[in-house]
Amino acid sequence: MDLDTLVEHYGQVDMLRFTTAGSVDDGKSTLIGRLLHDAKGLFDDQLATLEDAGLQGGDLQFALLTDGLRSEREQGITIDVAYRYFSTPDRRFIIADTPGHEQYTRNMATGASTANVAIVLIDARHGVLTQSKRHGFIASLLGIPHVIVAINKMDLVDYDQAVFEQIRSDYEGFATRLGFGDLSFIPVSALKGDNVVDRSERMPWYDGQSLLRKLETVYTGGDRNLIDFRFPVQLVQRPSHDFRGYAGQIQSGVVRVGDPVMVLPSGKTSTVTRIVTMDGDLDQAFAPQSVTLCLADEIDIDRGDMLAHPGNLPQVRRDLEAMVVWMSEEPMRPGRTYVIKHTTRSVRGRVTQLRYRIDPNTLHRQDAADLKLNEIGRVDLQAFRPLLVDPYARNRATGAFILIDPMTNRTVGAGMIIDRKGRAASKQSDGGQGADARERILGQRGSVVRLVDGPADQRLETAQAIEAALLEHGHLAIALGLDATPADAALLASAGLVVVLPTGAAVPQVAAAHTLTVALTDDGEHSDDTLVVHGPMEAASVLRALEAHGIFRV
């Protein structure tokens, strides 16, 4: 195979990101060093350095390949996150060797945040420790879809199958609480190379794959969210008067030339005319490609805005509930203001409540007044401007954010957004600020009435008549103007109001809110649940429709 063919082949090979974690001295760095060595992933100078370091107990000191800090070599532990790259004919890999000690939880969370696979190491001599459970919990919290439990140092227990099966049973019992979709176990000896790259002859009772073969064949095609198109705008490109494009990375989903898109939070709609890349135009693009999109209409779009398909929109929210990993020496306390960086959008916001701190070792919830360095807790935040989000469990890209100290510009926390529908179903109190409390106090559920079809002036007049009818019956309602955006309507509905939107634009998903579409003409195709009225004189029929949907408490 000539060089050009080889380069082309490796350029088309899939890439896998994986992270390793385990208790102190479980052999993480040794495992990665052995993997790189046996998979021929070392350069000549690295191999020479390894051989010059001499033997330890008759074996090469593989941990030196990843323990890059002097303090790591002296103490024999991993402190910082070490990244390594290698490839095989079947796949390219990025390895994140993360620290196992509780003191460096923030480092582990950083290294694991983009991983497809987590390798949790367990020392066969010691079995499942509290730190092993903590690493599994963090992998679950970060939404890593595939977890491989590598039971290491099997050579020190004489490759005993009973030891392997006992550890496997113990960890499976704990992991059922974490909901892993893909959990597998491999007995290995990183120092001796058993089941790392090649199958071991010393464990004939194990009929599964070696670690490398498992990494080469794990199926990740279903991990990407190709349903929800999300395109945060990073840069507006206008190199000449006849070109305007919006550059960024597709966070999820697929976009094609000719697709309708909505710009959020403005609610303006247009059509994709070109998908531009450095290598030429594309007919379609998907996550995680970086592209420039050109639209049919000249719309005011800025960095931080998001493009999405009109029928599949993110939630527009200012009130967030999230699991937060705290990364600062200065504790997180309710009432403090931070910068919330979400995709390409940065807004200020404050922590309104710390619901509880969670013990990663036991998964028990604990009352707490603050979150200290490396602690994890469930937090309520209020952004000062709307954010365009999805639950982290559905979309890791648009469900994650970081918190930045505005005084020092340091990253102090990382958060994963929780689905508010799940919270509404729980029995926990939300401090009187949630949708249930507002519905109880106001006697109504937040809703949006969308007026579609018909002339703009008629829609505006009808919206005002609907507002008057609702107010006359004691319901809190507001009719917006023709310049109002769907984001405006969504925010007011989330506060418990009945909002009449005369612009006809699709409204982003709002938790605990109802949307009623009202058409002013019989023309066009309408869904079965669309209400048709013929002007302001029939405003009362909208009131009756809302009553029929249970919007108002009797």
Side-chain angles (χ1 to χ4, degrees):
M1 184 181 295
D2 59 54
L3 181 60
D4 292 338
T5 304
L6 185 64
V7 171
E8 182 180 358
H9 169 75
Y10 278 107
Q12 296 174 352
V13 169
D14 186 27
M15 176 177 286
L16 181 80
R17 298 172 181 265
F18 69 90
T19 181
T20 61
S23 302
V24 174
D25 201 32
D26 273 352
K28 300 178 302 300
S29 299
T30 300
L31 177 68
I32 294 176
R34 168 64 78 173
L35 190 61
L36 293 170
H37 178 271
D38 290 4
K40 307 297 187 292
L42 297 179
F43 294 108
D44 291 342
D45 59 336
Q46 293 175 315
L47 187 58
T49 300
L50 189 62
E51 292 172 345
D52 291 344
L55 302 179
Q56 185 176 46
D59 296 289
L60 294 172
Q61 301 180 55
F62 295 108
L64 299 180
L65 293 171
T66 53
D67 286 343
L69 301 178
R70 177 180 297 178
S71 57
E72 293 179 327
R73 299 193 194 103
E74 292 173 348
Q75 299 178 53
I77 63 173
T78 301
I79 297 175
D80 198 9
V81 181
Y83 292 96
R84 292 295 181 269
Y85 309 85
F86 77 103
S87 62
T88 69
D90 295 320
R91 210 165 221 168
R92 293 176 295 150
F93 299 96
I94 298 179
I95 315 170
D97 181 22
T98 60
H101 197 278
E102 186 174 2
Q103 177 182 355
Y104 305 110
T105 297
R106 61 177 175 179
N107 302 53
M108 179 189 171
T110 301
S113 61
T114 59
N116 308 106
V117 177
I119 300 176
V120 177
L121 269 78
I122 296 178
D123 191 326
R125 299 170 301 171
H126 304 144
V128 179
L129 303 176
T130 53
Q131 285 194 55
S132 308
K133 296 179 179 180
R134 177 164 56 87
H135 301 145
F137 166 72
I138 294 174
S140 172
L141 179 69
L142 294 173
I144 299 177
H146 309 277
V147 176
I148 300 172
V149 180
I151 301 174
N152 193 24
K153 304 189 180 182
M154 290 296 295
D155 56 305
L156 299 182
V157 295
D158 298 325
Y159 303 100
D160 190 346
Q161 181 181 3
V163 173
F164 170 77
E165 295 294 348
Q166 183 60 53
I167 295 174
R168 177 176 183 167
S169 176
D170 292 344
Y171 200 86
E172 281 181 333
F174 168 76
T176 54
R177 303 162 61 187
L178 302 178
F180 290 129
D182 179 19
L183 179 65
S184 56
F185 296 81
I186 301 176
V188 302
S189 171
L191 192 62
K192 304 296 184 181
D194 296 291
N195 283 337
V196 178
V197 171
D198 299 313
R199 289 278 304 276
S200 172
E201 296 179 355
R202 299 185 181 99
M203 289 178 276
W205 45 266
Y206 174 71
D207 58 1
Q209 297 173 310
S210 68
L211 178 62
L212 179 61
R213 191 58 186 158
K214 177 68 176 179
L215 293 171
E216 286 179 326
T217 58
V218 62
Y219 178 69
T220 60
D223 300 341
R224 293 177 181 172
N225 183 334
L226 297 177
I227 299 174
D228 307 317
F229 172 61
R230 305 287 185 261
F231 184 78
V233 175
Q234 184 174 356
L235 177 68
V236 180
Q237 295 182 329
R238 193 164 175 80
S240 63
H241 69 278
D242 58 352
F243 183 91
R244 181 195 296 266
Y246 308 98
Q249 183 181 45
I250 302 174
Q251 298 297 316
S252 62
V254 179
V255 64
R256 299 173 178 85
V257 173
D259 278 359
V261 292
M262 176 177 287
V263 182
L264 296 172
S266 69
K268 304 293 185 181
T269 58
S270 188
T271 302
V272 177
T273 58
R274 290 181 64 189
I275 303 175
V276 183
T277 71
M278 183 178 66
D279 299 321
D281 286 14
L282 303 175
D283 293 327
Q284 68 174 16
F286 52 86
Q289 287 180 291
S290 295
V291 299
T292 296
L293 299 182
C294 299
L295 304 182
D297 306 281
E298 291 195 3
I299 302 175
D300 184 14
I301 300 176
D302 294 320
R303 173 184 170 88
D305 290 352
M306 183 179 290
L307 305 184
H309 290 143
N312 183 347
L313 299 173
Q315 300 174 10
V316 179
R317 284 163 55 177
R318 291 179 56 194
D319 295 318
L320 304 177
E321 189 171 330
M323 297 297 295
V324 171
V325 180
W326 197 245
M327 301 178 172
S328 173
E329 299 282 355
E330 179 71 20
M332 185 212 74
R333 295 186 178 91
R336 288 285 305 273
T337 297
Y338 301 97
V339 174
I340 304 173
K341 188 178 187 308
H342 174 263
T343 63
T344 58
R345 194 174 182 87
S346 297
V347 304
R348 288 193 176 236
R350 70 166 57 92
V351 176
T352 57
Q353 182 182 5
L354 172 58
R355 293 181 172 272
Y356 54 80
R357 180 177 57 215
I358 193 162
D359 184 345
N361 301 323
T362 64
L363 304 186
H364 292 162
R365 300 175 181 182
Q366 303 170 339
D367 293 333
D370 57 26
L371 275 186
K372 297 181 176 61
L373 176 64
N374 294 314
E375 291 184 339
I376 302 170
R378 189 161 179 166
V379 174
D380 288 351
L381 302 104
Q382 184 180 64
F384 297 163
R385 289 193 294 136
L387 293 172
L388 313 166
V389 304
D390 295 290
Y392 186 80
R394 179 177 178 87
N395 196 325
R396 290 174 72 181
T398 55
F401 62 88
I402 60 173
L403 296 175
I404 300 172
D405 188 326
M407 300 297 294
T408 64
N409 207 35
R410 292 179 178 175
T411 299
V412 294
M416 286 70 63
I417 296 170
I418 296 172
D419 191 351
R420 298 180 73 183
K421 292 181 179 178
R423 190 189 82 173
S426 71
K427 296 182 179 181
Q428 296 185 34
S429 168
D430 62 1
Q433 299 176 2
D436 291 342
R438 283 191 289 271
E439 181 178 346
R440 184 175 62 254
I441 294 170
L442 300 177
Q444 66 183 45
R445 182 154 55 101
S447 306
V448 177
V449 178
R450 289 177 56 235
L451 302 186
V452 300
D453 301 339
D457 56 348
Q458 184 184 17
R459 281 186 273 119
L460 180 61
E461 185 181 359
T462 304
Q464 294 168 345
I466 294 172
E467 176 194 55
L470 291 169
L471 292 174
E472 185 179 350
H473 285 78
H475 306 307
L476 292 176
I478 182 170
L480 301 182
L482 293 173
D483 59 345
T485 68
D488 298 331
L491 284 174
L492 291 170
S494 68
L497 278 70
V498 177
V499 185
V500 188
L501 181 66
T503 62
V507 180
Q509 177 185 354
V510 180
H514 175 76
T515 298
L516 174 65
T517 301
V518 177
L520 299 190
T521 70
D522 294 320
D523 300 333
E525 296 182 0
H526 300 136
S527 61
D528 294 338
D529 56 355
T530 298
L531 176 67
V532 177
V533 301
H534 299 91
M537 299 301 295
E538 297 183 15
S541 61
V542 177
L543 170 62
R544 291 192 295 270
L546 293 172
E547 290 174 340
H549 282 91
I551 302 304
F552 309 115
R553 292 196 171 200
V554 179

